[in-house]
């Protein structure tokens, strides 16, 4: 689910050839995931996609609850204490991931211009700075960058 198009990224990056399309798509994907991670909520392309995710969330959580119960019952039958502890931990971790996915779907948001702009800023940063370190240049973050754009939509869970 990409909510920033290649054409939008080209315009933002001022790129006019297709030589680096695969790399730009990688940056778009990474930037969208970074924005979603920063928001800690589901981000959907349109209201239909959001409604679909919200409708599916209760059944997914119920299935995860049943899977946890089944895994706990199976773990209780184990005789080795380490295996039992590992199986119980795995069941709990899977259930917690399902709870997070449920909350993120219920707190979902339809992508808006601020989120798209933040993604484009991240894409631009990844495109221009292709290494972790910059040598021989003074670097500072812009005060109204991607974090500033995403902040009003962040969920604190």
């Amino acid at each position: 689910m990409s909510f920033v198009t290649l054409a939008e990224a080209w315009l933002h990056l001022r790129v006019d050839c297709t030589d680096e399309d695969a790399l730009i798509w990688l940056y778009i994907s990474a930037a969208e995931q970074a924005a979603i991670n920063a928001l800690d909520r589901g981000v959907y392309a349109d209201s239909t996609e959001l409604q679909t995710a919200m409708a599916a969330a209760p059944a997914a959580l119920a299935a995860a609850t049943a899977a946890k119960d089944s895994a706990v019952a199976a773990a209780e039958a184990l005789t080795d204490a380490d295996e039992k502890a590992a199986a119980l931990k795995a069941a709990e971790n899977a259930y917690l991931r399902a709870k997070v996915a449920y909350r993120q779907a219920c707190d979902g948001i339809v992508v808006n211009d601020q989120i798209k702009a933040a993604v484009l800023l991240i894409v631009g940063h990844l495109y221009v700075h292709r290494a972790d370190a910059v040598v021989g240049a003074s670097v500072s973050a812009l005060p109204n960058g991607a974090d500033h754009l995403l902040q009003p939509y962040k969920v604190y869970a």
Side-chain angles (χ1 to χ4, degrees):
M1 168 229 41
S2 186
F3 42 82
V4 170
T5 67
L6 187 59
E8 289 168 326
W10 280 358
L11 185 62
H12 179 75
L13 299 173
R14 294 186 171 92
V15 171
D16 58 2
C17 65
T18 61
D19 295 349
E20 297 181 309
D21 283 0
L23 181 64
I24 294 170
W25 271 121
L26 173 73
Y27 291 160
I28 291 170
S29 179
E32 288 179 348
Q33 192 58 57
I36 290 168
N37 291 344
L39 294 172
D40 196 20
R41 66 195 307 178
V43 179
Y44 301 94
D46 56 42
S47 59
T48 301
E49 192 176 315
L50 172 59
Q51 293 303 320
T52 300
M54 290 175 73
L61 185 59
T65 302
K68 178 189 172 197
D69 292 344
S70 176
V72 167
E76 292 296 338
L78 295 173
T79 55
D80 182 270
D82 290 335
E83 287 179 6
K84 182 177 183 176
L88 289 170
K89 185 69 172 170
E92 183 65 22
N93 286 343
Y95 177 67
L96 290 175
R97 282 191 299 275
K99 282 178 57 175
V100 168
Y102 175 82
R103 182 193 50 78
Q104 289 175 335
C106 291
D107 288 338
I109 186 173
V110 174
V111 69
N112 59 38
D113 289 343
Q114 279 183 263
I115 295 170
K116 285 179 79 167
V119 168
L120 287 170
L121 284 174
I122 297 168
V123 168
H125 176 79
L126 293 170
Y127 186 79
V128 171
H129 304 286
R130 297 181 186 204
D132 281 341
V134 177
V135 178
S138 176
V139 178
S140 63
L142 296 174
N144 293 328
D147 291 337
H148 178 78
L149 291 168
L150 295 172
Q151 167 53 26
Y153 305 104
K154 181 167 177 43
V155 171
Y156 296 94

